[in-house]
Amino acid sequence: MRLTLDNINPNVRRAEYAVRGELAVKSEEFRARLAKGDKWLPFDHVISANIGNPQQLDQKPITFFRQVCSLLENPDLLKNESALVDSLGYKPDVLDRAKWLLKQVGSVGAYSASSGVPAIKESVAKFLERRDGFPADPAHIYLSAGASSGVNTLLNVICGDKTAGVLVPIPQYPLYTATLALLNATCVPYNLDESKAWGTDLETIKKSHQKAKDAGVDVRCIVIINPGNPTGASLAEEDVRAVLEFAREQNLVVMADEVYQTNVFVGKFHSFKGVLRKMQQERPGQYDGLELVSLHSISKGMVGECGHRGGYFELVNFDAEVEANIYKFVSIMLCASVIGQCLVELMVNPPQPGEPSFELYDKEFNGIHAGLHERAVALHRAFAQMEGVECAEPQGAMYLFPTIHLPQKAIDAAAAEGRPADEFYCLRLLEQTGICVVPGSGFGQAEGTLHFRTTFLAPGTEWVGSIVKFHKEFLDKYR
């Protein structure tokens, strides 16, 4: 029998992933038409503000990282060190790091140990110790093909059957709902508080948890995305503490998605691991059974190496037999990309003050951060002047998630097309400006509200004016 929509895995059919959905596909069609010289479109380029893909939007790779990688990919270049240094601008510490990594991995074309190259795991542990002020054990660190692979591994292990539930923030990055759909597990949504800059609200979490339990769901885990995607929210320490205390009371695994930890514009980043260790110091023995997994990635931050697929997750307080099965699961996938693992090492152990590459690295890193903040502020200011649009101040990550209030005629026009109103709005925006954003319905949103998510990765700020102009014309048409 041929495969048909009716006989393939129904869990795959019902999984949704909006950031690469219909609008993204249509934007690529427009990009291809422009490349072929199409003059009929009302714009001359496409801006993919639908996904956090920095280098697609002209964020330049960090020089130190790419120079080291070039030597890892072609070690023969090291046979002529003087040419590298004198003619190509490679600093001596680039050569030293490449030699060290080659000694650890042998060849980036070979498999590594399933959980990752041991020396790179040690570098991650040292980074975590510097970040949090508490030791980290390399034995509990797993290098992964981006944070997404880690999430997939962990949810596969956590979710035993369809009665297993996972608390997921709404709005959320749709990786979580899509993976739970594939596993035929239960998503237990809890709404973030838009009135408090998209912070967590403990009472809302408790109500969602209790409602699921009353329905017979075995709630096993709570997901926190901090800084937030799609909201850009950055949690205060007291919010982190509140979630950890609730998880302890309810025996929940805490899954802390912290891939945007360097993308913070307001306040500071508080890691779940660091806060948990402080709580353990304050109340010895109280939190020793609290299971925490935290994830990080080379795709975000100032690194932006999405295509190299590198990341890690750290397990804290997991049962040894459970951890052995997590290791077995990652072993089935053999190992993460070794060049991606090497980039993780460079991310957690970049050039330091006094080293030859530090000045350029520092300039590039801070330049990327300043550029992101500048564009975030420009976009936020634009939303503030748009009729019927409300948007929290950008705190972190790479996104804004404004509320939009649309006229009834627009809502009716969307219904006539069989679309949610926010999707209808985003589709018209793409067709008229070439700017691709994602409707809030793709991330989940409180009933009766409409949003869209946009990145602020695209270079310059002139494209922001196109959104302002479109919005006014859209409202005028549908008043």
Side-chain angles (χ1 to χ4, degrees):
M1 180 184 294
R2 289 177 61 87
L3 290 175
T4 69
L5 194 60
D6 294 326
N7 65 23
I8 63 169
N9 186 337
N11 297 333
V12 176
R13 284 206 314 267
R14 66 190 181 95
E16 296 181 359
Y17 190 68
V19 296
R20 294 273 181 137
E22 179 190 0
L23 275 90
V25 171
K26 199 174 190 71
S27 73
E28 291 306 317
E29 291 173 357
F30 287 157
R31 197 188 306 277
R33 285 171 57 183
L34 289 169
K36 293 178 180 179
D38 191 327
K39 303 295 185 184
W40 296 99
L41 293 171
F43 47 85
D44 56 14
H45 63 288
V46 171
I47 292 178
S48 300
N50 59 302
I51 193 165
N53 193 11
Q55 293 183 23
Q56 183 192 44
L57 293 165
D58 293 338
Q59 179 174 307
K60 302 303 179 190
I62 289 177
T63 301
F64 179 80
F65 292 3
R66 284 300 183 88
Q67 287 183 337
V68 172
C69 285
S70 71
L71 302 178
L72 299 178
E73 293 281 12
N74 188 5
D76 282 350
L77 293 172
L78 288 165
K79 294 176 180 177
N80 195 342
E81 295 186 12
S82 59
L84 292 171
V85 174
D86 298 336
S87 301
L88 298 176
Y90 283 52
K91 302 292 186 185
D93 55 341
V94 171
L95 278 58
D96 292 342
R97 185 68 65 88
K99 292 174 185 176
W100 181 81
L101 281 167
L102 286 167
K103 183 178 179 182
Q104 307 308 319
V105 306
S107 168
V108 294
Y111 291 133
S112 74
S114 296
S115 62
V117 177
I120 297 177
K121 292 177 21 163
E122 290 175 11
S123 283
V124 174
K126 291 174 184 175
F127 158 75
L128 293 169
E129 185 167 349
R130 291 192 303 272
R131 187 194 70 182
D132 298 330
F134 297 94
D137 186 346
H140 303 304
I141 292 167
Y142 295 77
L143 299 174
S144 57
S148 299
S149 174
V151 169
N152 180 61
T153 294
L154 294 157
L155 290 180
N156 264 277
V157 173
I158 290 168
C159 298
D161 54 42
K162 65 182 179 181
T163 67
V166 177
L167 281 155
V168 175
I170 298 297
Q172 52 92 42
Y173 178 49
L175 166 68
Y176 292 94
T177 47
T179 305
L180 290 170
L182 292 172
L183 294 170
N184 199 25
T186 300
C187 174
V188 180
Y190 66 90
N191 285 339
L192 300 174
D193 190 343
E194 186 170 7
S195 69
K196 295 179 181 176
W198 295 108
T200 55
D201 180 77
L202 193 58
E203 288 308 310
T204 299
I205 294 173
K206 287 180 176 178
K207 288 176 183 176
S208 295
H209 179 258
Q210 190 60 51
K211 182 180 177 182
K213 283 182 65 178
D214 292 345
V217 177
D218 176 15
V219 185
R220 296 183 170 187
C221 175
I222 180 169
V223 172
I224 304 286
I225 308 174
N226 178 45
N229 178 5
T231 65
S234 185
L235 295 183
E237 183 175 342
E238 55 265 33
D239 293 325
V240 176
R241 284 177 173 266
V243 169
L244 289 169
E245 180 59 34
F246 174 72
R248 181 193 68 81
E249 293 170 357
Q250 301 298 332
N251 289 318
L252 299 175
V253 176
V254 176
M255 187 180 295
D257 182 335
E258 298 176 331
V259 302
Y260 297 100
Q261 60 188 259
T262 55
N263 293 101
V264 176
F265 309 128
V266 177
K268 62 173 289 188
F269 168 71
H270 299 281
S271 78
F272 271 76
K273 165 85 173 298
V275 175
L276 173 60
R277 291 301 191 220
K278 285 197 280 187
M279 293 171 74
Q280 287 178 303
Q281 278 188 336
E282 294 161 3
R283 296 164 65 184
Q286 193 82 29
Y287 300 95
D288 292 352
L290 196 162
E291 297 154 297
L292 167 69
V293 56
S294 57
L295 304 105
H296 195 13
S297 167
I298 62 171
S299 297
K300 311 305 178 185
M302 280 12 91
V303 183
E305 293 283 359
C306 304
H308 276 112
R309 309 309 299 135
Y312 71 80
F313 60 90
E314 181 190 21
L315 302 177
V316 177
N317 294 335
F318 273 66
D319 175 84
E321 292 182 339
V322 171
E323 187 162 349
N325 278 274
I326 292 172
Y327 180 85
K328 177 171 65 178
F329 191 96
V330 300
S331 297
I332 294 169
M333 299 297 106
L334 296 175
C335 71
S337 158
V338 175
I339 198 73
Q341 293 185 47
C342 291
L343 277 160
V344 169
E345 203 283 329
L346 300 177
M347 175 181 72
V348 301
N349 185 25
Q352 297 301 306
E355 295 179 347
S357 293
F358 175 77
E359 184 178 354
L360 178 59
Y361 168 81
D362 191 56
K363 178 182 177 182
E364 291 175 339
F365 185 97
N366 289 321
I368 294 169
H369 189 277
L372 287 171
H373 192 202
E374 177 187 358
R375 294 193 293 277
V377 169
L379 198 53
H380 182 254
R381 285 175 180 163
F383 291 152
Q385 64 177 309
M386 288 163 57
E387 180 184 350
V389 176
E390 302 161 14
C391 186
E393 177 188 9
Q395 294 183 313
M398 297 176 171
Y399 314 102
L400 291 177
F401 196 67
T403 296
I404 50 175
H405 300 278
L406 300 182
Q408 188 60 45
K409 280 178 65 176
I411 295 170
D412 293 342
E417 289 190 10
R419 297 182 181 278
D422 50 1
E423 182 181 293
F424 177 80
Y425 175 93
C426 293
L427 186 58
R428 299 289 93 81
L429 173 67
L430 173 63
E431 292 170 342
Q432 294 175 36
T433 68
I435 299 170
C436 184
V437 299
V438 188
S441 51
F443 300 94
Q445 54 196 346
E447 189 174 348
T449 66
L450 299 170
H451 302 79
F452 66 86
R453 186 194 78 167
T454 178
T455 72
F456 38 81
L457 290 165
T461 56
E462 58 278 356
W463 61 278
V464 175
S466 299
I467 297 179
V468 175
K469 180 175 182 291
F470 161 81
H471 183 76
K472 182 180 185 305
E473 292 172 351
F474 183 93
L475 290 190
D476 288 344
K477 178 177 180 179
Y478 290 104
R479 289 187 194 282

